[in-house]
PDB file of all heavy atoms in Angstrom:
ATOM      1  N   ARG A 139     -43.438 -42.920 -53.646  1.00 89.00           N
ATOM      2  CA  ARG A 139     -43.111 -42.396 -54.937  1.00 89.00           C
ATOM      3  C   ARG A 139     -44.326 -42.189 -55.805  1.00 89.00           C
ATOM      4  O   ARG A 139     -44.355 -41.261 -56.653  1.00 89.00           O
ATOM      5  CB  ARG A 139     -42.194 -43.461 -55.690  1.00 89.00           C
ATOM      6  CG  ARG A 139     -40.919 -43.521 -55.032  1.00 89.00           C
ATOM      7  CD  ARG A 139     -40.175 -44.841 -55.449  1.00 89.00           C
ATOM      8  NE  ARG A 139     -38.773 -44.863 -54.752  1.00 89.00           N
ATOM      9  CZ  ARG A 139     -38.064 -45.936 -54.656  1.00 89.00           C
ATOM     10  NH1 ARG A 139     -38.592 -47.062 -55.169  1.00 89.00           N
ATOM     11  NH2 ARG A 139     -36.898 -45.992 -54.116  1.00 89.00           N
ATOM     12  N   HIS A 140     -45.351 -43.022 -55.740  1.00 87.00           N
ATOM     13  CA  HIS A 140     -46.646 -42.849 -56.410  1.00 87.00           C
ATOM     14  C   HIS A 140     -47.360 -41.453 -55.976  1.00 87.00           C
ATOM     15  O   HIS A 140     -47.793 -40.785 -56.890  1.00 87.00           O
ATOM     16  CB  HIS A 140     -47.526 -44.043 -56.257  1.00 87.00           C
ATOM     17  CG  HIS A 140     -48.889 -43.911 -56.812  1.00 87.00           C
ATOM     18  ND1 HIS A 140     -49.067 -43.971 -58.122  1.00 87.00           N
ATOM     19  CD2 HIS A 140     -50.179 -43.530 -56.264  1.00 87.00           C
ATOM     20  CE1 HIS A 140     -50.354 -43.828 -58.389  1.00 87.00           C
ATOM     21  NE2 HIS A 140     -51.019 -43.513 -57.314  1.00 87.00           N
ATOM     22  N   VAL A 141     -47.281 -41.221 -54.786  1.00 87.00           N
ATOM     23  CA  VAL A 141     -48.104 -40.053 -54.305  1.00 87.00           C
ATOM     24  C   VAL A 141     -47.353 -38.798 -54.581  1.00 87.00           C
ATOM     25  O   VAL A 141     -47.874 -37.759 -55.126  1.00 87.00           O
ATOM     26  CB  VAL A 141     -48.335 -40.330 -52.751  1.00 87.00           C
ATOM     27  CG1 VAL A 141     -48.906 -38.880 -52.290  1.00 87.00           C
ATOM     28  CG2 VAL A 141     -49.285 -41.409 -52.565  1.00 87.00           C
ATOM     29  N   PHE A 142     -46.017 -38.634 -54.388  1.00 86.00           N
ATOM     30  CA  PHE A 142     -45.269 -37.382 -54.367  1.00 86.00           C
ATOM     31  C   PHE A 142     -44.669 -37.189 -55.702  1.00 86.00           C
ATOM     32  O   PHE A 142     -44.057 -36.140 -55.822  1.00 86.00           O
ATOM     33  CB  PHE A 142     -44.343 -37.408 -53.185  1.00 86.00           C
ATOM     34  CG  PHE A 142     -44.975 -37.274 -51.880  1.00 86.00           C
ATOM     35  CD1 PHE A 142     -45.141 -38.454 -50.978  1.00 86.00           C
ATOM     36  CD2 PHE A 142     -45.507 -36.110 -51.358  1.00 86.00           C
ATOM     37  CE1 PHE A 142     -45.735 -38.324 -49.805  1.00 86.00           C
ATOM     38  CE2 PHE A 142     -46.150 -35.993 -50.141  1.00 86.00           C
ATOM     39  CZ  PHE A 142     -46.276 -37.043 -49.420  1.00 86.00           C
ATOM     40  N   ARG A 143     -44.547 -38.125 -56.628  1.00 80.00           N
ATOM     41  CA  ARG A 143     -44.056 -37.942 -57.850  1.00 80.00           C
ATOM     42  C   ARG A 143     -45.114 -37.861 -58.915  1.00 80.00           C
ATOM     43  O   ARG A 143     -44.934 -37.284 -59.961  1.00 80.00           O
ATOM     44  CB  ARG A 143     -43.017 -39.100 -58.278  1.00 80.00           C
ATOM     45  CG  ARG A 143     -41.736 -38.891 -57.361  1.00 80.00           C
ATOM     46  CD  ARG A 143     -40.785 -39.923 -57.912  1.00 80.00           C
ATOM     47  NE  ARG A 143     -39.501 -39.833 -57.134  1.00 80.00           N
ATOM     48  CZ  ARG A 143     -38.504 -40.608 -57.223  1.00 80.00           C
ATOM     49  NH1 ARG A 143     -38.515 -41.718 -58.015  1.00 80.00           N
ATOM     50  NH2 ARG A 143     -37.440 -40.558 -56.408  1.00 80.00           N
ATOM     51  N   GLY A 144     -46.203 -38.550 -58.739  1.00 61.00           N
ATOM     52  CA  GLY A 144     -47.337 -38.567 -59.620  1.00 61.00           C
ATOM     53  C   GLY A 144     -48.301 -37.617 -59.604  1.00 61.00           C
ATOM     54  O   GLY A 144     -49.229 -37.319 -60.351  1.00 61.00           O
ATOM     55  N   ASN A 145     -48.103 -36.572 -58.568  1.00 64.00           N
ATOM     56  CA  ASN A 145     -49.123 -35.508 -58.384  1.00 64.00           C
ATOM     57  C   ASN A 145     -48.328 -34.200 -58.071  1.00 64.00           C
ATOM     58  O   ASN A 145     -47.481 -34.080 -57.123  1.00 64.00           O
ATOM     59  CB  ASN A 145     -49.877 -35.843 -57.091  1.00 64.00           C
ATOM     60  CG  ASN A 145     -51.122 -34.780 -56.951  1.00 64.00           C
ATOM     61  OD1 ASN A 145     -50.950 -33.610 -57.055  1.00 64.00           O
ATOM     62  ND2 ASN A 145     -52.310 -35.297 -56.632  1.00 64.00           N
ATOM     63  N   ASP A 146     -48.515 -33.206 -59.075  1.00 65.00           N
ATOM     64  CA  ASP A 146     -47.876 -31.919 -58.852  1.00 65.00           C
ATOM     65  C   ASP A 146     -48.046 -31.191 -57.731  1.00 65.00           C
ATOM     66  O   ASP A 146     -47.162 -30.542 -57.066  1.00 65.00           O
ATOM     67  CB  ASP A 146     -48.164 -31.136 -60.149  1.00 65.00           C
ATOM     68  CG  ASP A 146     -47.515 -31.631 -61.503  1.00 65.00           C
ATOM     69  OD1 ASP A 146     -46.597 -32.463 -61.395  1.00 65.00           O
ATOM     70  OD2 ASP A 146     -47.982 -31.163 -62.478  1.00 65.00           O
ATOM     71  N   GLU A 147     -49.301 -31.223 -57.201  1.00 69.00           N
ATOM     72  CA  GLU A 147     -49.739 -30.534 -56.002  1.00 69.00           C
ATOM     73  C   GLU A 147     -48.963 -31.150 -54.823  1.00 69.00           C
ATOM     74  O   GLU A 147     -48.391 -30.471 -54.002  1.00 69.00           O
ATOM     75  CB  GLU A 147     -51.198 -30.548 -55.823  1.00 69.00           C
ATOM     76  CG  GLU A 147     -51.655 -29.797 -54.615  1.00 69.00           C
ATOM     77  CD  GLU A 147     -53.170 -29.768 -54.403  1.00 69.00           C
ATOM     78  OE1 GLU A 147     -53.847 -30.348 -55.224  1.00 69.00           O
ATOM     79  OE2 GLU A 147     -53.599 -29.433 -53.284  1.00 69.00           O
ATOM     80  N   ALA A 148     -49.102 -32.349 -54.700  1.00 69.00           N
ATOM     81  CA  ALA A 148     -48.387 -33.123 -53.480  1.00 69.00           C
ATOM     82  C   ALA A 148     -46.966 -33.024 -53.607  1.00 69.00           C
ATOM     83  O   ALA A 148     -46.283 -33.060 -52.579  1.00 69.00           O
ATOM     84  CB  ALA A 148     -48.811 -34.648 -53.550  1.00 69.00           C
ATOM     85  N   ALA A 149     -46.331 -32.943 -54.854  1.00 69.00           N
ATOM     86  CA  ALA A 149     -44.922 -32.961 -54.962  1.00 69.00           C
ATOM     87  C   ALA A 149     -44.461 -31.567 -54.785  1.00 69.00           C
ATOM     88  O   ALA A 149     -43.175 -31.384 -54.615  1.00 69.00           O
ATOM     89  CB  ALA A 149     -44.630 -33.427 -56.410  1.00 69.00           C
ATOM     90  N   SER A 150     -45.241 -30.432 -54.703  1.00 80.00           N
ATOM     91  CA  SER A 150     -44.629 -29.259 -54.510  1.00 80.00           C
ATOM     92  C   SER A 150     -43.991 -28.951 -53.190  1.00 80.00           C
ATOM     93  O   SER A 150     -44.193 -29.698 -52.143  1.00 80.00           O
ATOM     94  CB  SER A 150     -45.831 -28.174 -54.597  1.00 80.00           C
ATOM     95  OG  SER A 150     -46.726 -28.288 -53.537  1.00 80.00           O
ATOM     96  N   LEU A 151     -43.259 -27.811 -53.043  1.00 82.00           N
ATOM     97  CA  LEU A 151     -42.497 -27.436 -51.923  1.00 82.00           C
ATOM     98  C   LEU A 151     -43.548 -27.040 -50.768  1.00 82.00           C
ATOM     99  O   LEU A 151     -43.160 -27.430 -49.482  1.00 82.00           O
ATOM    100  CB  LEU A 151     -41.570 -26.405 -52.031  1.00 82.00           C
ATOM    101  CG  LEU A 151     -40.343 -26.594 -53.006  1.00 82.00           C
ATOM    102  CD1 LEU A 151     -39.468 -25.527 -53.027  1.00 82.00           C
ATOM    103  CD2 LEU A 151     -39.549 -27.941 -52.388  1.00 82.00           C
ATOM    104  N   ASP A 152     -44.684 -26.713 -51.088  1.00 78.00           N
ATOM    105  CA  ASP A 152     -45.626 -26.403 -50.055  1.00 78.00           C
ATOM    106  C   ASP A 152     -46.018 -27.604 -49.100  1.00 78.00           C
ATOM    107  O   ASP A 152     -46.462 -27.450 -48.053  1.00 78.00           O
ATOM    108  CB  ASP A 152     -46.934 -25.869 -50.618  1.00 78.00           C
ATOM    109  CG  ASP A 152     -46.686 -24.551 -51.372  1.00 78.00           C
ATOM    110  OD1 ASP A 152     -46.106 -23.671 -50.643  1.00 78.00           O
ATOM    111  OD2 ASP A 152     -47.013 -24.282 -52.522  1.00 78.00           O
TER     112      ASP A 152
END
Side-chain angles (χ1 to χ4, degrees):
R139 293 164 181 162
H140 174 73
V141 171
F142 292 98
R143 289 184 181 173
N145 187 315
D146 289 342
E147 180 180 354
S150 67
L151 292 179
D152 294 310

